[in-house]
Amino acid sequence: MTNQPKALVAGNWKMNGLTAAITEIDSLNHKIANHPNMACELMICPPATILATAVLRAENLEIGAQDCHAALGGAHTGDVSTEMLTDLGVTAVILGHSERRADHGETSAQVAEKVVAAQRAGLVSIICVGETEAERKSGQALGVVSEQIAGSIPLDGTHADNIVVAYEPVWAIGTGLVPSVADVAEMHAHIRDLLKGMFENDGDKMRILYGGSVKGSNAAELMNVDNVNGALVGGASLKADDFFAIVEAAYL
Ligand code: PEP
């Protein structure tokens, strides 16, 4: 496809990584420096405890957070505001990941409030959507994702530079299972149509990532699908070699 936005490969470390894991960022710096013509941008989203160190160490690599609070500040023990993230030099935040929707009961309306907060602070929101296995088996995948997109992405203030959508079928996360190329193509075309319906021409420029068991061995096939503009990677992002194998397979 022509006119596609520049791809993004983002790594979600989840609740993994002590300070020593920063050496993986050093290793990524080295690999990126050796490949100045990569056809994608790279981002790592480490846990909050090492965000500041990661920002200081990353070169030619964006650092994102995994969640935020919607408020500017105040009595929200344990939470982190978007302004605190930009203050560190963080440039993006993952929002509405299925683990937060499941573990913390996050609704699309709450995700939308966080997206507004991210936009207020100048952060890019990586908004995750995706169906469960039961929803796919009962033919509801497209409908579920439509509702999540409509509910999680505010119309005001959103443009191609401040949101990325990540389609992550819940049943593919951390399982080694991946949807067929035809199913990925169908869902990404559907999301593209939804975004164009909401944001007209800007909808064509928004990045739509695929996430769920992406690794070096399947990245070329998945990243070649129309309307797939990169990947959100969990397990395979923890080691620089595994993460960069995805880049090498799809974007070098
Ligand atoms: C994720 O949790 O965002 C993810 C895609 O995980 P994994 O790559 O491990 O399936």
Side-chain angles (χ1 to χ4, degrees):
M1 268 202 134
T2 53
N3 257 339
Q4 293 273 294
K6 185 161 186 185
L8 170 68
V9 180
N12 172 13
W13 283 7
K14 313 190 185 192
M15 200 170 73
N16 297 294
L18 302 177
T19 309
I22 293 293
T23 55
E24 301 300 328
I25 296 204
D26 297 336
S27 176
L28 284 175
N29 290 338
H30 193 67
K31 291 173 189 292
I32 295 166
N34 286 337
H35 293 95
N37 297 321
M38 274 176 6
C40 66
E41 292 165 9
L42 288 190
M43 180 185 295
I44 291 289
C45 303
T49 46
I50 54 172
L51 274 175
T53 316
V55 168
L56 290 174
R57 290 276 269 277
E59 295 164 14
N60 298 317
L61 170 72
E62 301 291 317
I63 299 297
Q66 298 173 16
D67 185 39
C68 66
H69 195 281
L72 262 174
H76 303 289
T77 302
D79 281 314
V80 174
S81 75
T82 51
E83 284 70 17
M84 291 169 178
L85 295 174
T86 41
D87 184 46
L88 285 183
V90 166
T91 56
V93 58
I94 298 172
L95 294 174
H97 190 282
S98 59
E99 286 153 16
R100 293 209 60 86
R101 290 182 192 259
D103 297 354
H104 300 270
E106 269 189 26
T107 63
S108 290
Q110 288 168 327
V111 173
E113 286 174 14
K114 293 182 178 192
V115 175
V116 170
Q119 292 175 356
R120 182 186 70 217
L123 290 173
V124 173
S125 301
I126 301 176
I127 302 164
C128 301
V129 296
E131 80 286 356
T132 62
E133 185 179 21
E135 288 163 344
R136 170 141 302 261
K137 284 195 170 146
S138 58
Q140 298 176 75
L142 296 177
V144 165
V145 167
S146 301
E147 273 180 30
Q148 289 174 332
I149 297 253
S152 307
I153 308 181
L155 288 175
D156 286 347
T158 298
H159 50 79
D161 292 336
N162 65 13
I163 69 152
V164 172
V165 175
Y167 168 56
E168 299 206 305
V170 178
W171 52 272
I173 294 180
T175 59
L177 301 172
V178 286
S180 67
V181 162
D183 284 346
V184 174
E186 179 187 47
M187 183 60 83
H188 279 245
H190 177 65
I191 294 172
R192 179 71 67 208
D193 283 345
L194 294 171
L195 294 175
K196 286 202 282 193
M198 291 167 80
F199 303 106
E200 300 180 354
N201 291 342
D202 242 20
D204 257 334
K205 300 183 208 139
M206 290 169 174
R207 293 192 273 204
I208 309 172
L209 312 185
Y210 168 77
S213 297
V214 178
K215 45 191 186 216
S217 55
N218 60 20
E221 186 175 46
L222 289 164
M223 298 301 106
N224 261 330
V225 175
D226 280 356
N227 290 300
V228 173
N229 312 121
L232 183 55
V233 184
S237 71
L238 294 173
K239 292 283 166 214
D241 285 350
D242 296 340
F243 191 53
F244 210 75
I246 293 168
V247 177
E248 280 172 333
Y251 297 112
L252 280 181

